Amino acid sequence: MPRRNGESLRIAVQSNGRLTGYSLELLKDIGLEFEDHERRLFTRCRNFPVELLFLRDDDIPEYVADGVADLGIVGLNVIHEKRAEVDRLVPLGFGFCTLTLAVPANASIRSPSELEGARIATTHPVSLARYLDEEQIGAEIVELAGGAEIAPALDVADAICDLVSTGTTLRIHDLRQIGDVWDSEAWLVASPGLDEGSGRSALVKRLRVRLDGLLTARRLKYVTLNAPREALPRIREILPGMRSPTVVPLADSGMVAVHAAAQEEVFWEAMERLKEAGATEILVLPVEKVMR
Ligand code: PRT
Ligand code: ZN
């Protein structure tokens, strides 16, 4: 491990997996410039005092909890499973999945409560044990290192508890979902030891403002349209997230141009209703960055 470079921040990122591409893209979108060629253990940002540490996702919670890394990007499922003492800062909007209970499609079991006495194969024994305890279900946990989905076919288990995103794996193995343990997504997490007021915590604050701006911008749309002035109340009803729009009179008497950032997704249906309300030249534009 290279020695820590003074007051620079260390961010742990998955080296090679489902979260890697999204994580690196996010870090680049908040302005960090770095080389990630082959994602060796370690890389330094060129334009910001940040070092990236590339790790297996399973190790990220512990490295962050111990303060070896100040920040980490990791799935909530791994944080739960490792029982890591980290501060959760921001959900990042990728890596969505659900820890799910499933049984063979032809099994008689319909709900988790019917798993009493059953054997459940999983790679998430800690999360499953907590769930079974909370739900007071007396089932046996069969802990596996991978491939839980084949355990029922091998008669190693009666059910599985695994992450699901598209559901393809369950379908291929002829398994049926009977209940969810919890939903997960990738989070930015921080070491609880990050001292308030230190140089590093000031850097974390800067990165959080940028991240907030980026994530807010992804939700925002910039809408411009022309409309008769009397249509304004109706237009604001259709786009309630449009706060104090700029309204400019047009050369045509009674017509105005409306410009505003809308807080909501502007769907085709909303555009059709705007048109019905009298709006024309409706443009919906993406917003790249925001700072408030
Ligand atoms: O090598 P390393 O240990 O770093 O990676 P890994 O193989 O342990 O993890 P990886 O890269 O597969 O996943 C990283 C993180 O992505 C997980 O910890 C989750 O937070 C998140 N994630 C999102 C998922 C899935 N979706 C997912 N579908 N992780 C795993 N899966 C697996 C699931 O276990 C099952 O085998 O994909 C299969 C099901 O997928 P579907 O699409 O068929 O439903
Ligand atoms: Zn892993």
Side-chain angles (χ1 to χ4, degrees), residues 49 69 109:
I109 298 172

Side-chain angles (χ1 to χ4, degrees), residues 275-286:
K275 195 162 184 302
E276 275 162 29
T280 55
E281 322 301 334
I282 308 163
L283 302 185
V284 179
L285 310 167

Side-chain angles (χ1 to χ4, degrees), residues 13-20 55-60 74-79 94-99 123-124 147-149 161-172 184-186:
V13 179
Q14 190 186 22
S15 57
N16 188 14
R18 288 167 196 263
L19 303 185
T20 308
L55 300 171
R56 288 204 50 186
D57 67 343
D58 314 72
D59 295 332
I60 292 176
V74 67
L76 189 60
N77 54 302
V78 186
I79 300 168
F94 60 84
F96 290 104
C97 53
T98 304
L99 189 65
T123 54
H124 298 81
E149 63 277 3
C161 175
D162 199 6
L163 295 175
V164 171
S165 48
T166 62
T168 310
T169 305
L170 290 188
R171 190 163 299 181
I172 288 173
S184 177
E185 72 179 285

Side-chain angles (χ1 to χ4, degrees), residues 5 8 60 132 141 148 161 168 187 201 222 228 241 283:
N5 178 8
S8 73
I60 292 176
L132 294 174
I141 298 175
C161 175
T168 310
W187 276 71
S201 84
Y222 196 77
L283 302 185

